[in-house]
């Protein structure tokens, strides 16, 4: 089923017109204006120098590192891992444009509402319910006392919309019944659990509740801290259609302004660590949901700030978690700094122990992650030769895996000094065990080969880059011109766009292309900018000549075929006129060639 059938095409065009790709990308990638394009670090592949481009006028993006490109829908789908109808409805919702009545293809609830919307509505109602109990009700006294014990104030409880799920099995269940929330939605939310013998009971009981918000500040899930002896001490609501633990960071919506302002994000693991940091004014802090940091979260943060500081508990699990995060950051090609706190402390307890000023100094002292990593590796290594040989074997792959030559040189020198091994020895080991080329290089190469453009692609490029080329090339029927089926598909989509809009805006054109490979190719061509007007003129006039020549060649070929067939039947009037035409064609070709030399 073609995806446009989910929504009327006019509706999709309306959304596309109303939304600015630059704004949507800026939410997650720090963009800098360079000439007519914006540039930033690609959120889809690891990189340290920006090869990700956005063009506002054309409403397209393209990454010259991994080759991905497209328009606002492509970006939204790829970044947020949603399908096309979901991308359209999410963007519509942000713009407050009402959706056409429920579209086919989307998962809907029994009531016919889109499932995600129903879930978010329920989570919001549940958050309000829990929050009210914490702040206003007598029953919430116990939880309020616990917050005081943890040195949290009511403002924090307000800012993070904390809540309280009291003891008892059916508090939320009966609240939901009152509110007439369909039981199927309640089940899918994970906030209630189905009993074997029928009926349901609350998942969160006797817990302090941390509502988890997405970047649009909508409630999408919950964390809960036991107030009694319940196990586990912390738990999260299960993943649902709107909640994916690896993709959200607790406190991110509240922290975003400060992260951007300071160009720094401080990352912790626990709910209370985060609340303590914010209470003490470290409003650039975010937390994973008590779990290890994942690659998706790293990509999200790298687009927001350059200085990423990871804080870990001062115990062995903390150090192990820090080491694991180093390899993950390396995979993503992102740098971070690491601070492991003193033994037997976590960010929450340490902050209250030493106060903001000292804590701030500790954050500043966080080590570059590779320094931390190599320090951990050589810790306790004895100066004996066996130990030294073993450690060199272990370190070499890590030195080779460093993303930049500068880093490799720096850390090779560093290791050499720490272990008292001549640098030349290390360098020889590095050369001997060269790691295979990185995946990204391979992708890049395959794209380069594939994109050697022929005349057909040059014509498409011209239409994409030079607005007036559309009327030059799109008015004629060029059925025979295209040999490549891909180029023909793009050309046909261009004609369609041109007929509808009177122009070919690349962002709009991409709505008519389904194949992601074609989108990548089109965005790569469209995002290039001419250095000056003269280059543009030359490009276009050369192209016009080459196309004329190609057409002449095709005509010649056809003519020769005809002449040969006529020759067999002897010289006739017909053949004579064909020969005249041939002479004429050759003359025109000569003229074009002479003109192009001049
Ligand atoms: Zn990329």
């Amino acid at each position: 089923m073609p995806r446009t059938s989910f929504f009327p095409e006019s509706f999709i065009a309306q959304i596309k017109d109303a939304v600015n790709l630059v704004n949507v990308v800026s939410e997650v990638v720090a963009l800098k204006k360079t000439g007519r394009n914006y540039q930033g670090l690609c959120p889809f592949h690891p990189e340290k120098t920006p090869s990700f481009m956005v063009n506002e006028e054309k409403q397209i993006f393209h990454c010259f590192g991994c080759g991905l490109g497209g328009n606002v829908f492509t970006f939204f789908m790829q970044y947020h891992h949603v399908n096309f109808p979901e991308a359209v409805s999410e963007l519509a919702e942000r713009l407050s444009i009402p959706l056409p009545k429920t579209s086919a293809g989307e998962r809907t609830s029994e009531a016919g509402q889109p499932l995600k919307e129903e879930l978010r509505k329920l989570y919001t109602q549940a958050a309000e319910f829990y929050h009210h109990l914490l702040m206003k009700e007598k029953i919430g006294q116990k939880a309020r006392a616990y917050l005081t014990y943890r040195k949290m104030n009511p403002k924090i409880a307000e800012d993070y919309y904390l809540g309280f799920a009291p003891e008892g099995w059916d508090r939320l269940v009966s609240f939901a019944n009152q509110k007439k929330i369909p039981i199927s939605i309640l089940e899918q939310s994970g906030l209630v659990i189905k009993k074997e013998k029928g009926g349901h009971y609350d998942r969160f009981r006797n817990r302090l509740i941390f509502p988890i918000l997405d970047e649009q500040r909508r409630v999408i899930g919950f964390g809960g801290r036991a107030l009694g002896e319940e196990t586990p001490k912390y738990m999260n609501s299960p993943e649902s259609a709107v909640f994916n633990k690896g993709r959200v960071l607790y406190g991110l919506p509240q922290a975003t302004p400060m992260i951007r302002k300071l160009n720094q994000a401080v990352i912790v693991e626990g709910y209370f660590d985060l609340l303590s940091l914010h209470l003490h004014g470290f409003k650039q802090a975010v937390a994973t949901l008590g779990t290890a940091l994942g690659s998706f979260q790293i990509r999200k943060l790298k687009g927001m700030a350059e200085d990423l500081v990871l804080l870990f508990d001062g115990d062995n699990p903390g150090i192990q978690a820090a080491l694991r995060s180093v390899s993950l950051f390396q995979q993503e090609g992102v740098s971070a700094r690491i601070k492991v706190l003193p033994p037997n402390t976590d960010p929450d307890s340490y902050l209250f122990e030493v106060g903001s000023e000292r804590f701030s100094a500790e954050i500043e002292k966080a080590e570059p992650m590779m320094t931390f990593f190599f320090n951990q590796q050589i810790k306790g290594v004895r100066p004996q030769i066996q130990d030294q040989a073993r450690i060199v074997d272990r370190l070499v792959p890590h030195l080779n895996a460093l993303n930049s030559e500068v880093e490799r040189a720096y850390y090779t020198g560093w290791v050499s000094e720490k272990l008292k091994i001549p640098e030349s020895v290390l360098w020889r080991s590095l050369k001997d065990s060269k790691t295979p080329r990185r995946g990204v290089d391979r992708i890049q190469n395959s794209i380069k080969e594939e994109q050697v453009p022929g005349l057909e692609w040059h014509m498409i490029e011209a239409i994409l880059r030079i607005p007036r080329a559309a009327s030059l090339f799109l008015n004629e029927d060029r059925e025979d011109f295209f040999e490549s089926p891909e180029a023909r598909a793009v050309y046909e989509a261009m004609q369609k766009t041109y007929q509808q809009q009177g122009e070919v805006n690349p962002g709009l054109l991409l709505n008519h292309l389904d194949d992601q490979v074609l989108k990548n190719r089109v965005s790569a061509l469209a995002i290039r900018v001419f250095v000056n007007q003269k280059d543009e003129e030359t490009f276009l006039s050369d192209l016009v000549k080459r196309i004329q020549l190609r057409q002449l060649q095709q005509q010649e070929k056809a003519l020769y075929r005809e002449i040969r067939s006529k020759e067999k039947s002897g010289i006739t009037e017909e053949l004579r006129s064909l020969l005249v035409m041939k002479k004429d064609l050759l003359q025109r070709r000569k003229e074009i060639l002479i003109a192009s030399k001049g």
Side-chain angles (χ1 to χ4, degrees):
M1 179 165 41
R3 33 154 233 204
T4 34
S5 67
F6 294 126
F7 293 107
E9 210 166 305
S10 59
F11 180 73
I12 292 166
Q14 187 195 353
I15 303 293
K16 226 217 107 279
D17 277 351
V19 73
N20 186 346
L21 174 66
V22 172
N23 297 342
V24 173
V25 175
S26 293
E27 285 170 14
V28 291
V29 177
L31 290 176
K32 279 200 188 90
K33 185 109 197 235
T34 52
R36 289 165 84 166
N37 286 331
Y38 289 85
Q39 215 174 19
L41 292 174
C42 179
F44 303 111
H45 88 276
E47 67 173 5
K48 285 187 173 170
T49 43
S51 39
F52 180 81
M53 311 275 213
V54 182
N55 187 297
E56 186 165 23
E57 190 189 337
K58 295 175 179 170
Q59 289 292 305
I60 51 161
F61 72 93
H62 186 84
C63 172
F64 287 96
C66 63
L68 191 75
N71 62 9
V72 69
F73 298 122
T74 329
F75 183 85
F76 204 87
M77 286 159 68
Q78 298 281 345
Y79 188 84
H80 296 283
H81 295 267
V82 294
N83 61 29
F84 184 74
E86 284 168 344
V88 174
S89 35
E90 289 256 340
L91 288 167
E93 198 178 313
R94 288 182 185 200
L95 297 161
S96 311
I97 297 175
L99 291 181
K101 67 173 174 32
T102 308
S103 327
E106 194 174 5
R107 286 175 68 197
T108 53
S109 69
E110 278 162 18
Q113 291 295 310
L115 175 65
K116 288 185 172 186
E117 237 166 79
E118 292 260 312
L119 280 174
R120 283 191 292 250
K121 200 171 121 199
L122 165 62
Y123 290 135
T124 304
Q125 287 174 314
E128 281 164 5
F129 171 69
Y130 292 138
H131 185 64
H132 176 79
L133 291 180
L134 174 71
M135 305 303 280
K136 302 277 195 279
E137 294 294 325
K138 191 152 179 276
I139 199 175
Q141 176 52 37
K142 178 186 186 180
R144 290 196 289 274
Y146 180 74
L147 277 178
T148 311
Y149 163 73
R150 297 294 300 250
K151 305 193 184 78
M152 294 296 145
N153 60 29
K155 175 143 194 325
I156 285 283
E158 283 295 349
D159 287 353
Y160 291 86
Y161 218 65
L162 302 183
F164 172 51
E167 276 173 276
W169 295 90
D170 61 353
R171 304 264 180 186
L172 188 70
V173 170
S174 40
F175 168 77
N177 286 342
Q178 271 172 37
K179 295 274 169 189
K180 307 239 176 339
I181 293 165
I183 196 69
S184 67
I185 293 295
L186 209 52
E187 272 177 16
Q188 290 186 68
S189 76
L191 297 183
V192 305
I193 299 166
K194 204 172 177 174
K195 288 188 218 163
E196 257 175 52
K197 289 176 185 157
H200 296 79
Y201 64 94
D202 294 0
R203 178 177 298 272
F204 291 108
R205 302 175 307 277
N206 195 29
R207 281 175 188 268
L208 188 71
I209 297 291
F210 309 90
I212 297 159
L213 310 182
D214 67 6
E215 280 149 282
Q216 282 77 54
R217 291 178 171 264
R218 300 174 299 196
V219 185
I220 53 169
F222 296 92
R225 164 69 161 88
L227 292 176
E229 296 306 308
E230 298 85 356
T231 52
K233 206 167 9 162
Y234 284 93
M235 66 184 213
N236 294 318
S237 59
E239 303 208 332
S240 72
V242 295
F243 182 40
N244 180 322
K245 282 170 213 169
R247 293 200 187 130
V248 289
L249 286 155
Y250 182 61
L252 184 63
Q254 291 93 336
T256 298
M258 196 53 92
I259 290 176
R260 291 197 188 277
K261 190 174 162 202
L262 300 178
N263 198 13
Q264 180 186 66
V266 173
I267 303 135
V268 292
E269 277 188 0
Y271 292 102
F272 268 109
D273 293 332
L274 177 111
L275 295 183
S276 282
L277 277 153
H278 278 242
L279 184 71
H280 286 86
F282 298 96
K283 294 190 189 293
Q284 74 276 36
V286 293
T288 58
L289 310 179
T291 52
L293 195 67
S295 46
F296 197 87
Q297 293 157 325
I298 294 176
R299 279 176 226 166
K300 191 166 273 191
L301 288 169
K302 88 167 176 190
M304 301 177 66
E306 276 170 316
D307 186 20
L308 306 179
V309 183
L310 300 150
L311 296 184
F312 290 96
D313 295 356
D315 52 18
N316 197 45
I319 291 170
Q320 294 311 317
L323 286 172
R324 275 195 304 274
S325 72
V326 171
S327 54
L328 198 59
F329 272 83
Q330 256 192 312
Q331 271 171 39
E332 291 298 319
V334 179
S335 318
R337 296 192 296 136
I338 288 181
K339 176 73 202 170
V340 175
L341 296 171
N344 303 317
T345 59
D346 57 34
D348 177 37
S349 65
Y350 190 61
L351 238 178
F352 281 107
E353 190 186 316
V354 302
S356 309
E357 213 168 295
R358 169 90 181 275
F359 196 87
S360 175
E362 294 291 337
I363 290 180
E364 283 322 301
K365 276 193 280 179
E367 292 175 301
M369 65 178 192
M370 292 319 297
T371 307
F372 167 82
F373 179 81
F374 285 119
N375 256 326
Q376 288 295 322
Q377 300 300 315
I378 63 176
K379 213 164 66 178
V381 173
R382 296 167 305 170
Q384 273 91 327
I385 183 70
Q386 302 92 315
D387 268 28
Q388 301 273 317
R390 209 174 48 233
I391 189 71
V392 167
D393 282 349
R394 203 162 76 201
L395 293 185
V396 159
H398 293 291
L399 287 168
N400 263 334
L402 289 173
N403 287 321
S404 84
E405 296 296 333
V406 177
E407 265 190 311
R408 192 168 306 125
Y410 174 81
Y411 283 109
T412 306
W414 187 90
V415 169
S416 145
E417 196 183 311
K418 292 266 173 182
L419 294 178
K420 309 269 180 290
I421 296 170
E423 230 181 282
S424 56
V425 174
L426 285 174
W427 280 112
R428 227 167 295 139
S429 311
L430 284 175
K431 282 212 183 69
D432 290 347
S433 72
K434 212 67 186 110
T435 43
R437 291 182 70 100
R438 293 170 56 82
V440 176
D441 290 347
R442 277 199 301 275
I443 298 172
Q444 251 168 341
N445 287 343
S446 71
I447 286 168
K448 272 181 204 138
E449 272 164 39
E450 182 198 327
Q451 283 186 346
V452 177
L455 186 56
E456 304 171 5
W457 284 104
H458 273 143
M459 181 197 276
I460 286 167
E461 182 179 346
I463 302 169
L464 289 168
R465 293 174 71 188
I466 308 169
R468 68 180 189 285
S471 62
L472 272 179
F473 298 127
L474 288 172
N475 283 326
E476 270 174 68
D477 180 30
R478 292 179 191 271
E479 186 70 17
D480 302 329
F481 179 72
F482 289 96
E483 280 162 15
S484 141
E486 289 85 15
R488 187 198 306 254
V490 175
Y491 184 80
E492 280 167 5
M494 283 177 148
Q495 280 187 312
K496 199 171 162 196
T497 315
Y498 186 61
Q499 278 155 18
Q500 285 171 0
Q501 311 286 329
E503 59 166 351
V504 183
N505 175 284
L508 213 54
L509 168 70
L510 291 176
N511 282 344
H512 295 297
L513 294 174
D514 280 318
D515 185 351
Q516 185 57 44
V517 175
L518 284 187
K519 285 185 198 188
N520 295 348
R521 195 155 186 173
V522 165
S523 61
L525 294 176
I527 206 135
R528 295 168 62 192
V529 174
F530 286 105
V531 180
N532 54 43
Q533 188 66 27
K534 193 165 166 285
D535 284 0
E536 185 181 311
E537 297 290 346
T538 317
F539 180 87
L540 196 57
S541 57
D542 278 355
L543 180 64
V544 170
K545 275 172 216 150
R546 285 171 59 208
I547 290 171
Q548 284 173 342
L549 280 175
R550 164 98 160 245
Q551 281 169 331
L552 285 178
Q553 272 166 4
Q554 281 170 340
Q555 286 172 18
E556 271 177 51
K557 259 192 220 156
L559 196 58
Y560 283 144
R561 268 199 302 275
E562 216 177 327
I563 290 173
R564 263 199 302 280
S565 77
K566 288 288 181 309
E567 271 171 349
K568 283 174 196 152
S569 47
I571 296 198
T572 62
E573 196 52 38
E574 235 177 321
L575 180 58
R576 232 188 300 278
S577 76
L578 285 174
L579 289 169
V580 172
M581 277 166 75
K582 176 183 154 191
K583 208 177 144 202
D584 192 39
L585 274 179
L586 291 173
Q587 180 59 30
R588 270 168 63 197
R589 184 160 70 161
K590 212 188 276 170
E591 280 165 17
I592 292 170
L593 287 171
I594 289 167
S596 67
K597 272 179 198 134

